[in-house]
Amino acid sequence: MYDYIVVGSGLYGAVFANTVKAAGKSVLVLEKRNHIGGNIYTEEQAGIQVHKYGAHIFHTNDKSIWEYVNRFAEFNRYTNSPVANYKGRLYSLPFNMYTFHQMWGVVTPEEAAQKIEAQRKAAGITEPQNLEEQAISLVGTDIYEKLVKGYTEKQWGRDCSQLPAFIIKRLPVRLTFDNNYFDALYQGIPVMGYTRLIERLLEGIEVRTGVDYLKPSVKTEMDQKAKRIIFTGPIDAYFGQKLGALEYRTVRFETELLHEANFQGNAVVNYTDRETPYTRIIEHKWFTFGRDAGGNDLPDTVISREYSTEWKNGDEPYYPVNDEKNNSLYEAYRSLAQQEEKVRFGGRLGQYRYYDMDKVIEAALQAAGEELG
């Protein structure tokens, strides 16, 4: 018997397993994939830590969470400063005084604020009802049309007027020359990659990869061996989608090793026009702080083009579509989950919500604390 069987070796599962193991509990971690780490998995290619399932940048304002992750990995001082490419013209992200100057030629915060306010008034928006109206109220029509609309519609597969306003409320808009995307005191990426972080969290814990817990024969066996199950997979999949399938957006990656030192000069370049089929290109070597300015410390580079598509069974679910319909369906599944006496659901998929990594860790530590009493 195990005190806990944790289904999933992503960040939530690994933090939970580490915490209860440190308290003397017996733990088994099951992972459906052939590697640990979930979507933060990284692997080395040509001396570069490649983010296999998309870019992950750790950021938090919580000092205790920052100190926690630094117990298991050394973090670099990477600062996320993406660039937007709109039909060959480049703009700074997040939206700041560089962006406003590039877009309108304004040079003072007052001029930028007046430009945004004039465009907001011209659009006649008082109470934003959807993402389009929310974006225009934040940054004006010009920036919305060039830097928000196309990218967002590619990412979500829906017209901006059909998307809820809250999606874009996290969008940083600054009347300063600050290119740091995240408004966070602490930010960085593990020097040896996220896989090493997960390995450290799972040291001394039994882990079995390539095991699909939801396969009936496996589930029957494991349920008999566990006092408690911590399930971090999709909550609707646990119940065989018997109430219907929750919707997600998924991401497809085209990753290339290029025999050149520097492809785009930045870790993240967003392609914000509607015609370019991918949403962004990641150049992984630039996630490592201290690379030679020309990238010449390594002769090659690795890039990933990201394509956002509608999720279907068999795909990896990335972003929950938290509209009214899906949130209502999730609540129905959550009611079923509360009837599972020995199972706890956690993480991005188990709770059908978007989590930043620091919030995943906070939730896992809280869950472990509640379990341990």
Side-chain angles (χ1 to χ4, degrees):
M1 289 291 294
Y2 296 91
D3 292 315
Y4 292 96
I5 290 183
V6 178
V7 181
S9 65
L11 194 55
Y12 185 102
V15 169
F16 183 94
N18 177 275
T19 306
V20 296
K21 174 68 162 57
K25 302 298 184 181
S26 57
V27 188
L28 169 64
V29 175
L30 304 178
E31 172 55 56
K32 183 178 178 180
R33 294 171 177 170
N34 62 4
H35 60 74
I36 60 173
N39 282 1
I40 67 170
Y41 172 74
T42 54
E43 61 183 18
E44 186 174 316
Q45 189 174 355
I48 300 163
Q49 287 294 330
V50 175
H51 296 225
K52 184 78 171 176
Y53 302 97
H56 287 82
I57 299 137
F58 193 90
H59 57 96
T60 187
N61 282 310
D62 189 325
K63 185 177 181 181
S64 65
I65 296 296
W66 181 244
E67 290 174 344
Y68 177 84
V69 293
N70 276 270
R71 287 168 46 196
F72 301 96
E74 177 187 358
F75 281 72
N76 67 22
R77 64 150 309 280
Y78 176 79
T79 299
N80 190 31
S81 300
V83 172
N85 183 320
Y86 178 76
K87 298 184 177 180
R89 295 288 301 273
L90 301 180
Y91 298 89
S92 296
L93 295 175
F95 303 130
N96 61 62
M97 284 302 299
Y98 288 114
T99 322
F100 305 141
H101 177 72
Q102 291 155 347
M103 185 67 66
W104 299 313
V106 298
V107 294
T108 68
E110 183 180 7
E111 290 175 320
Q114 288 174 349
K115 193 77 173 177
I116 293 171
E117 179 62 14
Q119 293 192 358
R120 186 188 67 79
K121 283 185 175 180
I125 298 167
T126 54
E127 292 291 331
Q129 299 299 309
N130 53 53
L131 188 149
E132 178 175 287
E133 294 179 356
Q134 179 69 38
I136 292 173
S137 70
L138 287 171
V139 293
T141 309
D142 291 340
I143 289 178
Y144 166 70
E145 292 288 347
K146 292 183 178 179
L147 304 185
V148 176
K149 180 177 171 63
Y151 183 90
T152 304
E153 290 181 352
K154 286 189 293 187
Q155 185 176 29
W156 290 98
R158 292 158 176 79
D159 190 275
C160 286
S161 63
Q162 304 300 314
L163 290 167
F166 75 82
I167 289 177
I168 210 165
K169 285 184 177 178
R170 291 159 32 104
L171 186 69
V173 180
R174 304 191 182 115
L175 295 175
T176 64
F177 291 90
D178 180 4
N179 276 344
N180 181 1
Y181 191 89
F182 296 117
D183 184 18
L185 288 171
Y186 310 103
Q187 183 176 172
I189 295 173
V191 172
M192 299 299 291
Y194 283 102
T195 302
R196 180 57 182 149
L197 168 65
I198 298 296
E199 287 173 346
R200 291 287 304 278
L201 283 163
L202 294 176
E203 277 183 1
I205 295 172
E206 183 181 355
V207 179
R208 300 181 193 176
T209 58
V211 177
D212 184 358
Y213 166 78
L214 292 181
K215 185 178 178 181
S217 59
V218 175
K219 187 176 186 304
T220 298
E221 177 189 359
M222 293 302 162
D223 287 355
Q224 292 172 350
K225 292 183 176 181
K227 295 178 182 176
R228 293 281 285 164
I229 299 286
I230 307 301
F231 185 79
T232 70
I235 189 171
D236 58 333
Y238 180 90
F239 293 104
Q241 297 180 336
K242 65 182 181 181
L243 303 180
L246 290 166
E247 293 179 308
Y248 295 88
R249 295 293 288 174
T250 190
V251 184
R252 177 174 63 85
F253 302 94
E254 289 182 355
T255 299
E256 289 184 76
L257 172 65
L258 303 177
H259 300 301
E260 56 185 280
N262 188 354
F263 176 75
Q264 64 186 19
N266 202 51
V268 183
V269 176
N270 292 357
Y271 285 77
T272 61
D273 62 281
R274 194 67 180 87
E275 294 74 24
T276 302
Y278 41 84
T279 54
R280 62 183 182 175
I281 296 179
I282 303 299
E283 187 167 8
H284 299 267
K285 75 189 313 178
W286 301 120
F287 287 130
T288 301
F289 175 75
R291 287 280 185 227
D292 179 88
N296 298 317
D297 58 332
L298 291 174
D300 297 329
T301 193
V302 178
I303 66 167
S304 296
R305 293 179 178 86
E306 297 188 9
Y307 299 80
S308 182
T309 59
E310 203 72 18
W311 176 87
K312 62 182 184 302
N313 280 318
D315 294 336
E316 289 297 336
Y318 280 82
Y319 305 107
V321 181
N322 289 122
D323 58 15
E324 185 176 345
K325 179 187 74 172
N326 282 287
N327 287 344
S328 176
L329 180 58
Y330 165 68
E331 288 300 324
Y333 277 119
R334 193 164 75 94
S335 295
L336 291 179
Q338 291 171 344
Q339 299 170 34
E340 296 284 314
E341 293 184 358
K342 66 185 290 184
V343 184
R344 186 179 193 122
F345 295 79
R348 176 177 55 94
L349 303 179
Q351 294 178 293
Y352 195 67
R353 59 181 293 187
Y354 180 83
Y355 267 124
D356 285 328
M357 285 185 283
D358 62 329
K359 298 302 182 184
V360 171
I361 293 170
E362 181 183 341
L365 291 173
Q366 180 180 340
E370 291 171 358
E371 289 286 330
L372 295 170

